[in-house]
Amino acid sequence: MAHNVNYYVSSYDKIWRDVKYLIEPADLAFANIEAPIDTTKPASSYPSFNMTKKYVIAAIDAGFDVFSLCNNHTNDQYAAGIRETIKTTTELTKEFSQKGRSIYFSGLKTSEQAQFTYNIINRNGWKIIFIPITELLNRPDASELVNYVRPNEKSRLQFIELIKKIKSENECDLFIISVHTAEPEYTRNVTEAQDSFYMNLLENGADIVWANHAHIIKNRKIVSDTRINRDKIIMYANGNTISGQRTKPEFYAHNPNSERDNTGDGLFYKITIQKNNANKSLKLLKAEPLFITTYINTANEYVIKPLNSQFVEYLYSVPRKDWAKYIEKRIKINNKETKDFIIWQ
């Protein structure tokens, strides 16, 4: 995300500098761009976001490859903003292709009659399908230009039929769905309706369901389907990577677990998967939750740091004792309140 405070940095690359080593080595790194990218208008913050092209380029340079453009803020700048976002991301795809780098965007449609957009990614001998959807839009305008699935049984079942159709027409090794979900923000609870929908997606062809919208880190579920010998994953919410929602950390709270404190942390979920072409099996070799946090440096710049003991040691050495003690508490909170669960079917 990009609130006003996120633009007050000497270089956008600085935002990602200390976590680039976590992103760049991945074969594919995925992110959600929660704003239009309309270069005909100035940058803007809540409630009607607009992001600059350079801000997105910094994330690409940090190592992200695949982007969802599909969320509740997608149409903040109306239909014109959606069309400009398509134009901007098409330009970015071409610019980076000329540099020998493949990047991918999807979630927006060029016309009301067009089908949902998705990416087919061929990387290192894998064929991967990625499709993002949103169940929320902050305004009704131009919903026909977005991969929009209303959060009701009829619309969800129609989407599942689309998933089946896409998969039948495109045999793939891995099918990934991003769901910007219709559930309350700032809570770690997962509604029964959402969990049922995600499990239904796994049952009908998806291998990874990556949910977002809550601005807070939630649990992860690993589903080992012994019937077809495939491991599947649900990420219920990975919090924020970069945002300006935590402007006043509660340094002196015994338990800084407020709504806004939680929005300052995020999760890179690093997964290693092995496929077997002979029997179409999929095995999860490793799942690593890598916690990150938005840090406000002495120049009042919002940058991302690893949420770990090394960062705490750095803060004590600077010295920024208030931040050091705060980050120690945030590490404990995230380790205590978010887990990986494994179930077998």
Side-chain angles (χ1 to χ4, degrees):
M1 302 190 74
H3 296 82
N4 285 336
V5 294
N6 298 119
Y7 292 115
Y8 305 144
V9 60
S10 57
S11 168
Y12 293 147
D13 293 342
K14 194 173 183 179
I15 293 170
W16 305 96
R17 186 177 299 165
D18 293 318
V19 293
K20 185 174 181 177
Y21 76 98
L22 297 173
I23 307 166
E24 199 170 39
D27 294 302
L28 287 173
F30 294 74
N32 171 49
I33 297 177
E34 197 150 335
I37 318 165
D38 185 346
T39 60
T40 69
K41 297 177 181 178
S44 59
S45 183
Y46 181 85
S48 297
F49 285 97
N50 190 44
M51 194 175 288
T52 70
K53 185 177 178 180
K54 288 183 178 180
Y55 195 83
V56 176
I57 289 173
I60 299 170
D61 287 339
F64 287 109
D65 309 282
V66 187
F67 296 90
S68 166
L69 299 172
C70 206
N71 48 72
N72 60 310
H73 289 288
T74 293
N75 62 344
D76 276 8
Q77 302 299 326
Y78 308 94
I82 290 175
R83 294 191 176 96
E84 287 298 322
T85 301
I86 293 172
K87 179 182 176 181
T88 301
T89 53
T90 301
E91 290 172 355
L92 285 169
T93 302
K94 183 177 179 181
E95 289 169 15
F96 278 87
S97 177
Q98 291 171 346
K99 299 176 185 178
R101 174 97 181 271
S102 296
I103 57 171
Y104 306 87
F105 301 90
S106 58
L108 304 182
K109 301 158 58 179
T110 56
S111 71
E112 296 179 2
Q113 295 75 33
Q115 296 295 312
F116 279 16
T117 58
Y118 56 92
N119 302 117
I120 298 177
I121 304 165
N122 291 288
R123 183 71 60 94
N124 297 342
W126 288 67
K127 183 176 181 180
I128 299 165
I129 294 177
F130 172 66
I131 182 168
I133 62 169
T134 185
E135 299 182 313
L136 290 172
L137 288 170
N138 287 354
R139 51 169 54 100
D141 312 86
S143 62
E144 298 85 0
L145 299 177
V146 183
N147 285 7
Y148 178 45
V149 175
R150 289 173 174 79
N152 58 51
E153 185 177 6
K154 179 181 177 181
S155 295
R156 287 172 170 173
L157 289 175
Q158 288 176 340
F159 177 64
I160 286 171
E161 290 304 311
L162 174 62
I163 292 304
K164 292 179 181 177
K165 181 175 184 291
I166 292 171
K167 193 163 186 179
S168 68
E169 294 174 351
N170 302 277
E171 186 175 347
C172 65
D173 300 299
L174 195 64
F175 202 117
I176 304 171
I177 302 176
S178 167
V179 182
H180 205 81
T181 179
E183 63 181 1
E185 297 174 296
Y186 315 118
T187 172
R188 298 191 200 275
N189 294 330
V190 177
T191 66
E192 185 177 342
Q194 290 302 131
D195 190 42
S196 176
F197 178 41
Y198 304 154
M199 290 296 291
N200 207 356
L201 291 173
L202 295 187
E203 288 282 345
N204 287 279
D207 297 300
I208 297 174
V209 174
W210 162 37
N212 36 76
H213 176 62
H215 305 292
I216 184 173
I217 304 167
K218 299 189 185 188
N219 294 329
R220 288 76 58 190
K221 182 191 285 185
I222 298 166
V223 180
S224 186
D225 193 333
T226 57
R227 298 165 300 180
I228 56 175
N229 199 22
R230 289 179 77 88
D231 294 335
K232 302 191 174 192
I233 300 168
I234 299 173
M235 292 172 276
Y236 291 103
N238 288 356
N240 291 330
T241 47
I242 185 66
S243 78
Q245 290 184 288
R246 184 178 66 188
T247 56
K248 297 179 180 179
E250 294 188 4
F251 291 132
Y252 305 110
H254 174 70
N255 183 35
N257 199 12
S258 71
E259 179 181 290
R260 289 295 155 179
D261 284 283
N262 289 331
T263 65
D265 297 339
L267 177 72
F268 293 151
Y269 199 52
K270 181 181 177 182
I271 59 174
T272 306
I273 303 174
Q274 182 183 69
K275 65 172 180 171
N276 185 318
N277 290 329
N279 62 8
K280 305 297 183 183
S281 67
L282 202 66
K283 184 172 181 58
L284 178 64
L285 300 181
K286 188 181 290 186
E288 301 172 79
L290 305 171
F291 295 106
I292 57 172
T293 196
T294 297
Y295 170 61
I296 307 171
N297 66 20
T298 54
N300 207 37
E301 297 171 326
Y302 286 60
V303 297
I304 308 171
K305 299 284 188 176
L307 192 61
N308 58 26
S309 58
Q310 288 80 14
F311 182 43
V312 173
E313 291 172 6
Y314 162 78
L315 290 168
Y316 275 119
S317 70
V318 177
R320 296 197 84 184
K321 189 176 179 180
D322 52 354
W323 267 101
K325 290 184 175 296
Y326 177 76
I327 293 299
E328 285 179 317
K329 294 172 185 176
R330 292 302 309 168
I331 291 172
K332 290 178 181 178
I333 288 167
N334 284 304
N335 283 328
K336 178 183 177 182
E337 299 198 15
T338 73
K339 303 292 181 185
D340 293 280
F341 292 96
I342 302 175
I343 66 170
W344 286 266
Q345 290 185 320

